[in-house]
């Protein structure tokens, strides 16, 4: 899926981290979420999954963007 097909919920210019290389949360056309963050080694996830770490303010921004 191309990034252009996603709705970007965070990092739209509200702070320092507004480029494509920062932690962000996207919503897919199916309504699921795509999370971009720093790779985490907290534990080994199952095959086909990955762990990413994102700052709390990114989650708060995504919740505000969704109106929750």
């Amino acid at each position: 899926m191309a990034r252009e097909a996603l709705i970007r919920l965070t990092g739209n210019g509200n702070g320092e981290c507004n480029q494509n290389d920062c932690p962000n949360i996207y919503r897919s056309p199916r309504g699921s979420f795509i999370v971009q963050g720093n790779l985490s080694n907290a534990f080994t996830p199952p095959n086909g999954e990955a762990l990413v770490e994102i700052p709390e303010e990114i989650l708060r921004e995504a919740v505000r963007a969704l109106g929750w």
Side-chain angles (χ1 to χ4, degrees):
M1 174 181 316
R3 185 185 302 227
E4 294 78 19
L6 303 173
I7 298 168
R8 189 173 179 169
L9 300 175
T10 60
N12 292 312
N14 300 328
E16 298 178 21
C17 208
N18 59 10
Q19 302 298 319
N20 290 337
D21 62 345
C22 296
N24 281 297
I25 298 176
Y26 301 86
R27 191 146 197 194
S28 77
R30 295 184 301 257
S32 62
F33 297 95
I34 310 297
V35 178
Q36 175 185 347
N38 297 319
L39 187 61
S40 173
N41 294 315
F43 63 89
T44 303
N47 286 338
E49 296 183 5
L51 302 177
V52 296
E53 185 173 350
I54 60 171
E56 179 181 335
E57 62 266 16
I58 298 297
L59 290 175
R60 290 181 183 276
E61 187 179 347
V63 168
R64 282 192 299 271
L66 291 167
W68 292 354

